[in-house]
Amino acid sequence: MEKYFAAVDMGASSGRLILGENENGIIKLEEIHRFENGLKDIKGHLCWDTKYLFGEILTGLKKCKAIGKIPSTIGVDTWGVDFVLLDENDNLIGQAVGYRDSRNEGMDKEVYKIISEVDLYARTGIQKAIYNTIYQLMAVKTQNPNQLGNAKALLMMPDYMHFLLTGKKTSEYTIATTSQLINPNTKSWDYELIDMLGYPKEIFQEIKVPGTSLGNLRKEVSEEIGFDCEVILPGSHDTASAVLAVPSNEKNTLYISSGTWSLMGVEAMKPDCSKESHALNFTNEGGYNYRFRYLKNIMGLWMIQSLKKELDDKYSFAELCEMAEESSCVSIVDCNDERFLAPKSMMDAVVTFCKESNQPEPKEPSDFARVIYHSLAVCYKKTLAEIEFVQNVKYQKLFIVGGGSNAKYLNELTAKETRLTVSVGPTEATAIGNIIVQMLAKNEFSSLEEARRAVAESFDVKIYG
């Protein structure tokens, strides 16, 4: 009898429910449900529609029932840093404001009045990004103090989805580390730091590791979808799940989890909170079994997604790649410049950067696509040099996983710029990693190493360079 494991993988632009099964060491996937996602303007703030998102999870589960493929377990992963606040009746306080919202502007300065940026990094090992939970909470404290005062619980986005499924409040380790409020040595909330910042300590839930069972679905949920199943915490941060699906057990494995964001780094067994690491703005996010994802957040395919939308979705991503190859525009932008985080016009932001840096301005859609793809590849090259410097390791191979691995032109540029052998795939790395944790919890694999060997055998990869 087939045994199915359901991964709900929510990205910033889309989500999906994928079923996985283990057939004699071969992982097989089936996409059951796909849905759109995106930030909505609600009363002047960019917010997530949590009611809609949870409804899409239920829709996916109902589809499983309809085709007779009932998952034995389910786990949810999402992007990092965003959260909800709940009151004493477990109702939402305010909206689920997204990380691209302008409320975070200037909140770094407010935090640094209490603790310096250098000391904060030494304490948490998390790179500075103005959208980190630590700064978002300062925005709530500064702009809506009553919300924080009335809060009884803080749940990161996947933790909230798990709560809606089970009624149990927890903080999964990998997603919690994106908050910049976790001590990398104790692997728990830094309550001293939280107290210093004036955030209520009681709203932070107990940390649970990937593979933890939350028990079965709430009665109301199981009755609505027509069956019951167990909820198991995956690596709830999507990058934590994606890294698990990198098909390599080598000690020094360099990867890019490529999607809306490009997360480029290595897996480490201990954090690096050194001044050198801070100066290069690397982060030490939590991974499976207390590994660390030592990486850098790069703006990623958000830029090309924004361009596609600005062009009224006239071109597919594949067409934009092909068009970019035909362009002769040689300009390069800094993908990590904050102007590209949430511009009203990505094209205008690119043109402005080129003007300010005395480079030719892109004019045609093909020019903009080439500038973005080439700039990403150059950024990967720069990040490679930084990783090799701080890790004191020379890399020969780069693994690219995730939806962005379909960008053939970007893969070619990456191989050319980095001069590495680039191994590309699997595409659905995040869902695979999510499913792997569930399978490990149910003894489908004896170890992560065995699971990664199964990934290598189950999915085709392409080699560039």
Side-chain angles (χ1 to χ4, degrees):
M1 181 178 177
E2 293 90 351
K3 191 173 185 180
Y4 299 105
F5 302 85
V8 177
D9 173 28
M10 288 189 188
S13 57
S14 67
R16 59 207 63 79
L17 187 150
I18 292 179
L19 288 182
E21 57 181 316
N22 177 9
E23 288 190 1
N24 300 315
I26 299 298
I27 300 171
K28 297 204 169 177
L29 302 180
E30 181 179 359
E31 182 179 298
I32 304 300
H33 181 53
R34 181 175 286 263
F35 52 94
E36 294 183 355
N37 191 22
L39 289 163
K40 298 180 179 180
D41 191 321
I42 300 177
K43 296 180 179 179
H45 290 285
L46 297 174
C47 304
W48 304 107
D49 188 340
T50 55
K51 185 177 181 180
Y52 159 77
L53 291 174
F54 185 65
E56 293 300 321
I57 294 177
L58 298 183
T59 297
L61 290 171
K62 290 174 185 176
K63 287 184 178 181
C64 293
K65 169 73 171 178
I67 62 174
K69 295 183 177 181
I70 308 298
S72 59
T73 66
I74 183 174
V76 181
D77 67 74
T78 78
W79 63 95
V81 306
D82 286 344
F83 61 90
V84 298
L85 296 173
L86 302 183
D87 65 17
E88 58 187 6
N89 297 314
D90 294 331
N91 295 317
L92 283 179
I93 298 175
Q95 301 291 333
V97 179
Y99 61 89
R100 294 189 192 276
D101 188 72
S102 60
R103 71 173 180 173
N104 305 320
E105 292 176 7
M107 290 303 108
D108 51 346
K109 295 181 177 63
E110 295 301 314
V111 168
Y112 300 151
K113 289 177 183 177
I114 299 165
I115 181 170
S116 72
E117 182 180 349
V118 171
D119 289 343
L120 183 60
Y121 186 87
R123 192 168 187 128
T124 66
I126 299 297
Q127 76 177 97
K128 179 191 174 180
I130 194 60
Y131 45 75
N132 288 350
T133 312
I134 189 173
Y135 304 114
Q136 292 200 49
L137 278 171
M138 186 57 71
V140 177
K141 178 187 171 185
T142 304
Q143 301 163 20
N144 299 100
N146 288 339
Q147 290 188 359
L148 207 54
N150 293 328
K152 299 302 179 184
L154 177 149
L155 296 176
M156 306 295 278
M157 287 298 293
D159 297 326
Y160 183 51
M161 295 299 148
H162 289 134
F163 165 69
L164 293 176
L165 287 170
T166 66
K168 295 180 181 177
K169 302 187 189 80
T170 58
S171 289
E172 189 276 321
Y173 170 65
T174 69
I175 197 78
T177 63
T178 70
S179 69
Q180 205 172 0
L181 291 167
I182 293 286
N183 183 307
N185 297 310
T186 66
K187 317 293 194 302
S188 190
W189 297 111
D190 188 334
Y191 287 111
E192 184 180 25
L193 173 61
I194 289 168
D195 195 45
M196 288 166 57
L197 294 166
Y199 305 155
K201 292 187 286 189
E202 62 274 11
I203 67 175
F204 296 90
Q205 309 304 305
E206 183 180 357
I207 298 291
K208 299 290 186 181
V209 297
T212 299
S213 173
L214 296 184
N216 286 16
L217 299 172
R218 288 189 300 118
K219 182 180 178 182
E220 297 87 343
V221 173
S222 61
E223 288 180 349
E224 180 172 349
I225 64 174
F227 65 90
D228 198 6
C229 70
E230 185 180 4
V231 178
I232 292 179
L233 296 180
S236 294
H237 186 212
D238 51 12
T239 310
S241 282
V243 169
L244 289 177
V246 174
S248 172
N249 282 313
E250 296 176 17
K251 182 180 179 182
N252 294 309
T253 296
L254 180 69
Y255 60 78
I256 297 176
S257 175
S258 181
T260 300
W261 291 88
S262 290
L263 299 311
M264 184 174 183
V266 297
E267 201 171 52
M269 297 311 295
K270 60 181 182 179
D272 182 348
C273 302
S274 66
K275 291 181 180 179
E276 293 79 8
S277 183
H278 173 236
L280 293 171
N281 207 29
F282 278 90
T283 201
N284 295 271
E285 294 174 350
Y288 180 75
N289 200 20
Y290 293 126
R291 289 168 167 81
F292 288 90
R293 292 171 284 131
Y294 186 74
L295 57 81
K296 177 169 284 192
N297 284 278
I298 299 166
M299 198 67 73
L301 293 177
W302 158 253
M303 297 179 72
I304 208 75
Q305 291 167 357
S306 298
L307 173 65
K308 181 175 181 290
K309 186 176 181 180
E310 196 167 341
L311 296 170
D312 297 321
D313 293 317
K314 183 178 179 180
Y315 308 102
S316 68
F317 289 119
E319 287 171 331
L320 286 171
C321 268
E322 292 171 4
M323 291 161 57
E325 290 189 70
E326 301 301 318
S327 170
S328 59
C329 186
V330 296
S331 300
I332 301 294
V333 301
D334 178 4
C335 296
N336 291 325
D337 192 299
E338 286 192 3
R339 77 182 74 201
F340 301 123
L341 183 62
K344 291 182 179 178
S345 166
M346 185 61 72
M347 295 169 74
D348 287 350
V350 170
V351 166
T352 300
F353 188 100
C354 291
K355 280 183 179 178
E356 292 176 358
S357 53
N358 297 314
Q359 299 182 86
E361 297 173 29
K363 302 197 180 294
E364 301 298 325
S366 58
D367 297 337
F368 284 97
R370 189 187 189 284
V371 168
I372 291 170
Y373 282 126
H374 201 182
S375 297
L376 280 172
V378 169
C379 190
Y380 297 160
K381 175 184 177 181
K382 180 175 180 288
T383 304
L384 168 64
E386 293 171 346
I387 293 174
E388 289 186 331
F389 168 74
V390 77
Q391 294 280 309
N392 195 27
V393 174
K394 290 293 290 183
Y395 294 93
Q396 304 298 322
K397 192 171 186 177
L398 170 64
F399 291 84
I400 301 180
V401 299
S405 65
N406 287 322
K408 178 175 176 288
Y409 179 54
L410 178 57
N411 296 332
E412 291 171 349
L413 286 173
T414 300
K416 179 181 177 182
E417 290 292 337
T418 63
R419 298 184 180 180
L420 299 176
T421 299
V422 176
S423 174
V424 174
T427 301
E428 291 289 0
T430 303
I432 294 167
N434 182 323
I435 288 166
I436 281 174
V437 172
Q438 297 179 55
M439 287 181 170
L440 285 166
K442 290 301 178 181
N443 300 311
E444 292 286 312
F445 296 111
S446 62
S447 66
L448 177 57
E449 289 72 22
E450 182 186 1
R452 279 179 166 156
R453 285 194 294 271
V455 173
E457 294 172 6
S458 303
F459 303 97
D460 294 332
V461 300
K462 295 179 181 178
I463 305 296
Y464 296 84

